[in-house]
Amino acid sequence: MTESQPDIPTSPAGWVRAHRSLLEAFAYAALAVLACVLGLVGLWSLLSVFPAPVSPWWSLATGLPACALVVFRRKAPLPLLGVALALFVVDLLTVGGVVTLIVVLDLLYAATVAASAPTRRRILIGIAVAVVATTVAALLRSDDPRVGILIGLQLGALAGMDYWYATAVAQANELVTLHRARAEDAERRSALERAEAVRSDREQMARELHDLVAGDVSAIAIRAEAALSIDNTPEADRAALRAVRESSLQAHQALRSMIAVLRAGDAEVAARRDGSLPELVADAQRHGLTVTLDDALPDGIPLPVDQAVTRIVQEALTNCVRHAAGARVDVRVDADGGEVRVRVDSSGGSPGTIAPLRGNGWGLDLLRERARALGGTVDAGPADDGWSVRARLPVEVPV
């Protein structure tokens, strides 16, 4: 591969922008020569150390070196400003040309624009000191104080206006940089928020898919496995098929409801299966569990808490169907002292035989996340000869 060549300006305006410093240096040099031809020197002859006027062409001795400094002003404007000031002082004390003053103002502008705020303040102090020193020198050299004051006002006005305009440009550039940085930060924050929103939506969809569908699909597999593992009789086959059909219809309805919400796009993902605790108990009994329900939950429980209770009972019963077929399960739900308590205890039963349905713990993890979001807790573990799931949820949902 060949090295990429730098962009070469093809238009006249582009060429001028690329060589602006060099062109301005030649223009200043031409102005210096023209000033010599016209005799535009000795502007501040009052400060000259020569006893008599000298040839105007002597001004080129300081003017042309000052013009050469303009070529390199972008690289080091502040040091070059110091060199230009030295040439200006020499010119001021000798011939008194105008080009060195123009170069000083040019480099003063470039140095101020490129400087930081503390450096700009030091430049302003330097301007004030230079103007005061020049005014005092003019007052000492002149018999008429008005002449010295006029010279100080001229230099102060020229340097002050140049510094003010350069400071305005520098501050505008700083504001542009600040707003650009803020816009980039806002864009990064927006991207992070979008990514977080997508992650949250995916987690919610995964949670609801698990809650709505996993239990029914597991029941289908369990009943099918049970039908395959026993002697074939017409009654047993029909019962197994009815159970599979019922679970399939429930899973299908849950998926249809969730897809409808996702297609709408302006509603939260459905967080609850249509039905109540008695229906969950009846469904578990159809899958071979012996379930007793003690539901003492009062009316007026906030919907998020009611949904969490339903989910906890549903997940506990589903796990019993998976891992403790034929178990006896006691479900107790009540509220006391501003707290909703849920307890599902199982005992007996036989472990599941279908390897793909052995749990990975996601269901309980999702329940714990749901409870934490409401300010509650969920605990699960072995108890006596079975398994126990216990939950505590606040009646008042935190805002």
Side-chain angles (χ1 to χ4, degrees):
M1 296 178 63
T2 59
E3 295 183 358
S4 58
Q5 298 295 328
D7 295 336
I8 300 176
T10 56
S11 64
W15 187 88
V16 170
R17 285 194 298 270
H19 301 84
R20 178 178 175 181
S21 298
L22 183 61
L23 293 176
E24 288 182 355
F26 277 112
Y28 290 157
L31 179 60
V33 174
L34 180 62
C36 294
V37 173
L38 299 178
L40 296 178
V41 294
L43 300 181
W44 296 284
S45 58
L46 178 65
L47 300 176
S48 177
V49 296
F50 291 158
V54 296
S55 172
W57 297 99
W58 282 98
S59 63
L60 297 181
T62 54
L64 293 181
C67 295
L69 298 177
V70 177
V71 179
F72 308 101
R73 66 184 171 191
R74 293 185 180 179
K75 296 182 178 180
L78 194 58
L80 293 178
L81 175 60
V83 177
L85 284 172
L87 293 174
F88 173 68
V89 171
V90 173
D91 188 70
L92 190 66
L93 297 177
T94 56
V95 184
V98 69
V99 173
T100 52
L101 175 61
I102 294 175
V103 172
V104 167
L105 294 176
D106 189 323
L107 292 174
L108 173 61
Y109 171 83
T112 304
V113 169
S116 61
T119 303
R120 289 200 298 269
R121 287 193 290 270
R122 288 192 287 269
I123 291 175
L124 180 60
I125 294 174
I127 291 174
V129 171
V131 171
V132 170
T134 304
T135 303
V136 171
L139 290 173
L140 294 176
R141 298 277 297 183
S142 173
D143 296 333
D144 188 352
R146 294 177 296 178
V147 175
I149 294 174
L150 181 60
I151 291 176
L153 290 175
Q154 288 175 341
L155 289 177
L158 290 172
M161 290 296 294
D162 190 55
Y163 174 83
W164 170 80
Y165 181 66
T167 300
V169 173
Q171 291 175 344
N173 292 338
E174 291 171 355
L175 286 175
V176 170
T177 302
L178 177 61
H179 288 305
R180 182 181 294 112
R182 288 181 176 178
E184 293 174 352
D185 289 341
E187 184 177 358
R188 283 194 293 268
R189 287 195 300 271
S190 178
L192 291 175
E193 290 173 357
R194 288 195 299 270
E196 178 63 22
V198 171
R199 186 190 64 81
S200 178
D201 288 343
R202 288 179 175 177
E203 288 182 352
Q204 185 179 7
M205 291 172 62
R207 181 169 59 249
E208 302 309 329
L209 279 172
H210 177 275
D211 291 344
L212 293 174
V213 181
D216 292 325
V217 173
S218 299
I220 293 171
I222 291 171
R223 296 308 295 265
E225 179 68 16
L228 293 173
S229 62
I230 62 177
D231 295 334
N232 293 332
T233 63
E235 294 77 8
D237 289 343
R238 291 183 64 85
L241 289 175
R242 280 194 297 270
V244 169
R245 178 180 180 276
E246 186 175 347
S247 297
S248 300
L249 291 176
Q250 290 177 353
H252 181 259
Q253 183 60 36
L255 284 175
R256 284 175 59 89
S257 300
M258 188 171 185
I259 292 171
V261 173
L262 293 176
R263 291 190 63 185
D266 56 354
E268 186 179 357
V269 176
R272 186 179 189 180
R273 175 201 298 270
D274 292 333
S276 60
L277 293 182
E279 293 177 352
L280 292 177
V281 170
D283 183 66
Q285 289 175 336
R286 284 193 296 269
H287 290 88
L289 299 180
T290 302
V291 185
T292 59
L293 173 63
D294 182 6
D295 185 0
L297 197 64
D299 295 333
I301 297 298
L303 181 60
V305 178
D306 192 22
Q307 291 173 346
V309 170
T310 304
R311 286 288 179 254
I312 293 168
V313 174
Q314 176 189 346
E315 180 65 20
L317 293 176
T318 299
N319 286 339
C320 290
V321 172
R322 288 179 178 175
H323 309 298
R328 175 179 177 81
V329 185
D330 295 323
V331 179
R332 292 188 296 275
V333 181
D334 60 11
D336 183 29
E339 185 178 69
V340 175
R341 295 175 298 187
V342 181
R343 183 171 185 129
V344 181
D345 296 317
S346 64
S347 59
S350 59
T353 59
I354 305 178
L357 294 181
R358 289 174 183 170
N360 50 23
W362 287 353
L364 291 175
D365 290 340
L366 294 174
L367 290 183
R368 293 188 181 99
E369 290 178 7
R370 188 188 295 273
R372 280 197 299 268
L374 297 175
T377 60
V378 172
D379 297 315
D384 298 332
D385 61 341
W387 191 268
S388 178
V389 176
R390 300 168 300 279
R392 293 178 178 270
L393 303 171
V395 174
E396 298 296 332
V397 180
V399 180

